[in-house]
Amino acid sequence: MSKAYNTEIISVGTELLLGHVTNTDARDISELLSKIGINVLYHTVVGDNPQRLKQCVETAKERADIIITTGGLGPTCDDLTKQILAEAFGLELVADKAEMEGLRDFISQGRVLTENNYSQGMLPQGCTVFHNLWGTAPGCAFEAEGKTVIMMPGPPEECVPMFKTYGMPYLQKLSGEHIVSHTVNIFGMGESTVDSIFANEMNAMSNPSMAPYAKECDCLLKITAKAATVAQAEEMIAPVMEEVKTRLGEVVYGTDVDCLEEAVIKLLEEKPLSFAAAESCTGGYIAKRFTDLPGASRFFKGGMVTYTNQAKAALLGIDPALIEEKGAVSFEVARAMAENCRIILGSDVGLGVTGLAGPEGDGIHEVGTVFVSMAVEGCAYVKELHLGAYRTRSFVRRMAGNHAFDMLRRYLSGLPVRDCVTVCSPEL
Amino acid sequence: MSKAYNTEIISVGTELLLGHVTNTDARDISELLSKIGINVLYHTVVGDNPQRLKQCVETAKERADIIITTGGLGPTCDDLTKQILAEAFGLELVADKAEMEGLRDFISQGRVLTENNYSQGMLPQGCTVFHNLWGTAPGCAFEAEGKTVIMMPGPPEECVPMFKTYGMPYLQKLSGEHIVSHTVNIFGMGESTVDSIFANEMNAMSNPSMAPYAKECDCLLKITAKAATVAQAEEMIAPVMEEVKTRLGEVVYGTDVDCLEEAVIKLLEEKPLSFAAAESCTGGYIAKRFTDLPGASRFFKGGMVTYTNQAKAALLGIDPALIEEKGAVSFEVARAMAENCRIILGSDVGLGVTGLAGPEGDGIHEVGTVFVSMAVEGCAYVKELHLGAYRTRSFVRRMAGNHAFDMLRRYLSGLPVRDCVTVCSPEL
């Protein structure tokens, strides 16, 4: 087996330690590296403090072969990464002619280029410069003392495309081993149960290995193999995946997907039906989640955010008397939302959500009470959820959306839509 | 000045190193700690590997006074945090009677309690047990060798409420010093420009200190003071805040807010107008962002997600001939979206967004072309944006939303709505 190329990602920025921003760079770089068989062993976050950054770099030199930094390349006064990294490997910072020229030309949209931008053109001697097409601060890479160092800017919309464009090809040359991972995505069964079903396999297997992960509103089982080639790793994984899918059955909503809506769009690509959504407590979140996916417009006819009773009447034509009698958070209103949005937008399927996301209640239902509905030609399905009064608003909204997408997923897959009241009639 | 109580947060989980989940726990705990004057100096992420976790704990013992771990308390086979931390401080794990009883009683909603859940009831001898009301794995805290150790479960919807409920009060007793931070939130001016305006102050000042931070679609200036009391720290910050706000002027959209929509809801609380939104390329994201805020229903009448031309006609009554003639991504359609949704939903203000979020284009406009519109009684405003073809779909959608909320913010504040075409007529 080839060298391990163990990696540490050091993210520099006091804003991370103040909790002001989330370290999505480390996550995204890790995900990319796992695809090319490079192991990430540590993420470290340190502030804009030269002494502490220096110590972190010394520690990383001892325990990692590849050091990737994010942040601290920008124009502000507290940007120190290049200086410290260059120093740690005995290199000087020198002006890069092309970058200096480029900086003079660059006027980013709506922003003014200032004198302190020019410090960005100073780079470690002999490094490979990564020109930043997404911002101003260039990145770079160098090899020294048997280590590989890569520096990326901090803002995620610069860091991630730069790492894909420059960092990945740079590192791909180093790695001879391939890690391949596939996930089995599960909704409707907890991580503990999944773990318990496969406990023996997980203890016994090391390559491929298997591990369950809890996500906020669903969970997954990840199967990972290492081999000299991708094809070999794939061959090792395939029978395990099949076994897992068979044993878990219909709670498996997909493989190698990020979320239920991605599973739904894949099903729609095979069986091109359209849908629409009428949302109360999720307030556009279902529409937002689905339209996060490129190509959503082929299947998503549109949606109504009917946060108020007035909007439920104006946009969905729901009789105010029905709302008055049954309440906005009710089986009947949820059903009418799905049915009416389906008809108004002329889609094959209509989804509806009405409930209490909290933190404030309505004096009638417990916070976390949500009715999720689906209407298709001839049938309506309504599911009543009690997601727990101690849950956050964000959890309730996300989980309600997952149930809606899962109902659609089950309908598209020809599986039973479980745990709901089903009303079928030739008039629907 | 009191002892610093330097903190390191160690997050345990291979899923973090594979990039499968984001380390939001470290961010949220850091944000909470900064409010009680506890400095976070490092975040470390390490996998489910006993040897490496042990080394990270040894490093943390050397450089931190408080060690907070997240993750690795759950029931799955690879959960090791308690064992390693107890071992590092020479403690045994013992069965906690109350937790063991509790586990037997607990059947979490829709999940089955399995045998491996019971390992969760084993805790370091003499620790303070933090009962988990949001899941099954308890947390705990102990003092040993002059250090404070706190262990929290990994899932954010358990970790964050547990840290607020148990961790914060536990630590508040330790801290004698108070850090107070306030932010000035800026939209329409880049971080470099802000940095350049205040370069002298930033170099000269240490307490209070001042630092700019770039976010994905806006930026901010953070002013931080340390003092023996919160009141003293506030007094040190107040004049600096005033000076900054005066010098930056109308690009300041708020102070101590997280996002433009939060600034908007604060303005609406003072001046209770209502608004509605018609969204094409943002696909419900504006509605979702606003309804993320508790209390949104008082001001947000509702929205239409008119992703297709058919939906623009069905929900907004936009003449298909207009779309045919001008195109769905046009000044005219954007204007009609804002005007019509305002009228249909009977709101004071209507917002509209139509554009190309990418990655695919329409063969006419460059990806990133977006028209953002606002309609009020008597006037319509339309802003044409070219956000850049190299930008991600997520960036285009977020930035388009920021422009829409900024137009509303300016209208509510009586500021000019800049960089747009304004059409006023008594008929509107």
Side-chain angles (χ1 to χ4, degrees):
Chain A
M1 197 169 278
S2 64
K3 201 179 160 191
Y5 293 109
N6 291 328
T7 299
E8 176 156 353
I9 302 173
I10 303 178
S11 300
V12 185
T14 304
E15 68 275 24
L16 291 159
L17 296 176
L18 289 167
H20 193 81
V21 293
T22 313
N23 195 5
T24 56
D25 287 342
R27 176 200 64 197
D28 292 337
I29 290 175
S30 296
E31 195 171 18
L32 289 165
L33 289 178
S34 80
K35 292 183 187 165
I36 56 167
I38 291 177
N39 287 324
V40 178
L41 297 191
Y42 307 94
H43 294 173
T44 298
V45 177
V46 62
D48 302 307
N49 174 295
Q51 198 51 41
R52 287 196 284 272
L53 174 56
K54 201 174 165 179
Q55 281 166 4
C56 288
V57 173
E58 293 304 327
T59 303
K61 280 176 79 172
E62 282 164 30
R63 65 189 184 182
D65 308 299
I66 299 169
I67 302 171
I68 299 173
T69 68
T70 68
L73 304 182
T76 62
C77 307
D78 50 12
D79 288 330
L80 295 160
T81 310
K82 281 182 302 189
Q83 287 86 332
I84 299 293
L85 267 288
E87 213 174 281
F89 288 91
L91 302 173
E92 297 282 322
L93 290 183
V94 296
D96 182 81
K97 200 161 167 268
E99 286 296 326
M100 286 295 185
E101 286 299 321
L103 278 167
R104 284 188 190 96
D105 298 341
F106 185 93
I107 306 287
S108 69
Q109 198 197 13
R111 300 192 182 188
V112 178
L113 195 66
T114 58
E115 268 309 309
N116 52 13
N117 283 118
Y118 290 103
S119 72
Q120 296 179 174
M122 298 296 289
L123 289 152
Q125 59 185 110
C127 72
T128 303
V129 179
F130 298 148
H131 182 61
N132 188 343
L133 295 166
W134 301 267
T136 55
C140 66
F142 63 80
E143 313 278 322
E145 302 177 29
K147 307 289 176 186
T148 299
V149 175
I150 296 189
M151 294 187 239
M152 290 284 146
E157 74 280 9
E158 301 178 21
C159 178
V160 177
M162 278 187 72
F163 193 74
K164 283 182 188 166
T165 307
Y166 305 115
M168 291 284 278
Y170 191 93
L171 290 172
Q172 225 142 4
K173 291 179 296 184
L174 301 174
S175 166
E177 183 184 62
H178 294 270
I179 300 183
V180 175
S181 275
H182 289 293
T183 61
V184 176
N185 304 84
I186 301 154
F187 181 71
M189 182 185 279
E191 182 204 4
S192 306
T193 310
V194 173
D195 184 63
S196 154
I197 291 172
F198 297 103
N200 292 338
E201 286 83 349
M202 280 185 277
N203 283 329
M205 289 161 61
S206 67
N207 189 24
S209 66
M210 197 195 272
Y213 297 109
K215 295 174 75 177
E216 192 185 1
C217 298
D218 60 327
C219 74
L220 57 88
L221 199 62
K222 191 153 193 160
I223 301 150
T224 304
K226 293 188 193 197
T229 68
V230 169
Q232 280 170 13
E234 294 284 6
E235 246 174 67
M236 291 157 74
I237 292 174
V240 183
M241 288 284 278
E242 281 316 304
E243 164 83 10
V244 164
K245 281 160 65 181
T246 306
R247 278 167 72 183
L248 291 175
E250 64 185 56
V251 296
V252 173
Y253 70 78
T255 53
D256 297 319
V257 289
D258 276 336
C259 49
L260 274 151
E261 56 271 32
E262 200 184 324
V264 165
I265 208 171
K266 287 189 173 195
L267 288 167
L268 290 169
E269 276 158 5
E270 289 165 23
K271 188 178 180 172
L273 298 178
S274 63
F275 77 102
E279 306 183 54
S280 186
C281 68
T282 47
Y285 194 18
I286 290 178
K288 186 265 175 192
R289 281 172 61 178
F290 195 76
T291 61
D292 275 342
L293 306 170
S297 58
R298 282 180 290 153
F299 311 111
F300 185 59
K301 289 261 184 174
M304 294 84 150
V305 182
T306 56
Y307 221 60
T308 57
N309 292 345
Q310 184 202 348
K312 288 181 186 75
L315 296 183
L316 288 164
I318 297 178
D319 186 353
L322 180 76
I323 300 176
E324 180 66 30
E325 189 195 342
K326 304 290 182 181
V329 177
S330 64
F331 174 92
E332 290 79 5
V333 169
R335 178 181 160 181
M337 287 171 74
E339 287 176 353
N340 297 11
C341 89
R342 174 180 168 266
I343 290 162
I344 293 167
L345 283 161
S347 58
D348 298 303
V349 184
L351 298 176
V353 182
T354 180
L356 278 177
E360 282 146 40
D362 64 355
I364 303 164
H365 303 88
E366 193 182 53
V367 168
T369 303
V370 181
F371 291 87
V372 182
S373 55
M374 177 171 73
V376 298
E377 196 178 346
C379 291
Y381 307 83
V382 184
K383 199 171 194 177
E384 181 173 346
L385 303 170
H386 296 278
L387 299 171
Y390 56 82
R391 293 294 192 173
T392 61
R393 182 174 173 86
S394 134
F395 175 86
V396 172
R397 281 155 58 95
R398 180 149 192 91
M399 190 57 117
N402 274 12
H403 278 279
F405 284 124
D406 195 54
M407 285 167 91
L408 182 52
R409 193 259 313 174
R410 285 172 173 269
Y411 175 71
L412 294 170
S413 313
L415 291 168
V417 184
R418 296 200 189 276
D419 307 317
C420 63
V421 174
T422 307
V423 185
C424 289
S425 150
E427 283 162 36
L428 292 178
Chain B
M1 198 169 276
S2 64
K3 199 180 159 190
Y5 293 108
N6 292 328
T7 299
E8 174 156 355
I9 302 173
I10 302 179
S11 301
V12 185
T14 305
E15 67 274 25
L16 292 159
L17 296 177
L18 288 167
H20 194 81
V21 294
T22 314
N23 195 4
T24 56
D25 288 342
R27 176 201 62 197
D28 292 337
I29 291 175
S30 296
E31 194 171 19
L32 289 165
L33 289 178
S34 79
K35 293 184 185 162
I36 57 167
I38 290 178
N39 286 324
V40 177
L41 297 191
Y42 307 94
H43 295 172
T44 298
V45 177
V46 63
D48 302 308
N49 174 295
Q51 199 50 42
R52 287 196 284 272
L53 173 56
K54 202 174 164 179
Q55 281 166 3
C56 287
V57 173
E58 292 305 327
T59 304
K61 279 176 78 171
E62 281 164 30
R63 63 190 185 183
D65 307 300
I66 300 168
I67 302 171
I68 299 173
T69 68
T70 69
L73 303 183
T76 62
C77 309
D78 50 11
D79 288 330
L80 295 159
T81 310
K82 282 182 302 191
Q83 287 86 331
I84 299 292
L85 267 287
E87 213 176 280
F89 288 92
L91 302 173
E92 297 283 321
L93 290 183
V94 295
D96 183 81
K97 200 160 165 270
E99 286 297 326
M100 286 295 185
E101 286 298 322
L103 278 169
R104 283 189 192 94
D105 297 341
F106 185 94
I107 307 286
S108 68
Q109 198 196 17
R111 300 194 183 188
V112 179
L113 196 65
T114 57
E115 269 309 308
N116 53 13
N117 283 118
Y118 291 103
S119 72
Q120 296 179 173
M122 299 295 291
L123 289 153
Q125 59 187 109
C127 72
T128 303
V129 179
F130 298 148
H131 183 60
N132 187 342
L133 295 167
W134 301 266
T136 56
C140 66
F142 63 80
E143 313 278 323
E145 303 176 28
K147 307 290 176 183
T148 299
V149 175
I150 296 188
M151 294 186 241
M152 290 285 146
E157 74 280 8
E158 301 179 21
C159 179
V160 177
M162 279 188 73
F163 193 75
K164 283 182 187 165
T165 307
Y166 303 115
M168 291 285 279
Y170 191 94
L171 290 172
Q172 225 142 3
K173 293 178 296 185
L174 301 175
S175 165
E177 183 184 61
H178 294 270
I179 300 182
V180 175
S181 275
H182 289 292
T183 61
V184 176
N185 305 83
I186 301 154
F187 181 70
M189 183 184 278
E191 181 204 4
S192 307
T193 311
V194 173
D195 184 63
S196 153
I197 292 172
F198 296 104
N200 291 340
E201 286 84 348
M202 281 186 276
N203 283 330
M205 290 162 61
S206 67
N207 189 22
S209 65
M210 196 194 273
Y213 297 110
K215 294 174 77 178
E216 193 186 359
C217 298
D218 60 327
C219 74
L220 57 87
L221 200 61
K222 190 152 195 158
I223 301 150
T224 305
K226 293 189 193 197
T229 67
V230 169
Q232 280 171 14
E234 293 284 5
E235 246 174 67
M236 291 157 73
I237 291 174
V240 183
M241 288 283 279
E242 282 315 305
E243 164 82 9
V244 165
K245 280 159 65 181
T246 306
R247 278 168 70 184
L248 291 176
E250 63 184 58
V251 296
V252 173
Y253 70 77
T255 54
D256 297 320
V257 288
D258 275 335
C259 49
L260 274 151
E261 56 271 31
E262 201 184 324
V264 164
I265 207 171
K266 288 190 172 192
L267 289 166
L268 289 170
E269 276 156 5
E270 290 165 23
K271 188 178 182 174
L273 297 180
S274 63
F275 77 101
E279 307 183 55
S280 185
C281 68
T282 47
Y285 195 17
I286 290 179
K288 185 266 173 190
R289 283 171 61 178
F290 196 75
T291 62
D292 276 341
L293 306 170
S297 57
R298 283 179 289 152
F299 311 111
F300 185 60
K301 290 262 183 172
M304 293 84 149
V305 181
T306 56
Y307 220 60
T308 57
N309 292 345
Q310 184 201 348
K312 287 182 185 77
L315 297 183
L316 288 163
I318 296 179
D319 187 353
L322 180 76
I323 300 176
E324 180 67 29
E325 188 194 344
K326 303 292 182 182
V329 178
S330 64
F331 175 92
E332 291 79 6
V333 170
R335 178 180 162 183
M337 288 172 73
E339 287 176 354
N340 296 12
C341 88
R342 174 179 169 268
I343 290 162
I344 294 167
L345 283 162
S347 59
D348 297 304
V349 184
L351 298 177
V353 182
T354 181
L356 277 179
E360 280 146 43
D362 63 355
I364 303 163
H365 303 88
E366 193 182 51
V367 168
T369 302
V370 182
F371 291 86
V372 182
S373 55
M374 177 171 71
V376 297
E377 197 179 346
C379 289
Y381 307 83
V382 183
K383 200 171 193 177
E384 181 173 347
L385 302 170
H386 296 277
L387 298 171
Y390 56 84
R391 294 292 194 176
T392 61
R393 182 174 173 87
S394 134
F395 175 87
V396 171
R397 282 155 59 94
R398 181 151 192 91
M399 190 58 117
N402 273 12
H403 278 279
F405 285 123
D406 195 54
M407 286 168 90
L408 182 52
R409 192 260 311 175
R410 286 173 173 268
Y411 175 71
L412 295 170
S413 312
L415 291 169
V417 184
R418 295 202 190 276
D419 306 318
C420 61
V421 175
T422 307
V423 186
C424 290
S425 147
E427 285 163 32
L428 291 179

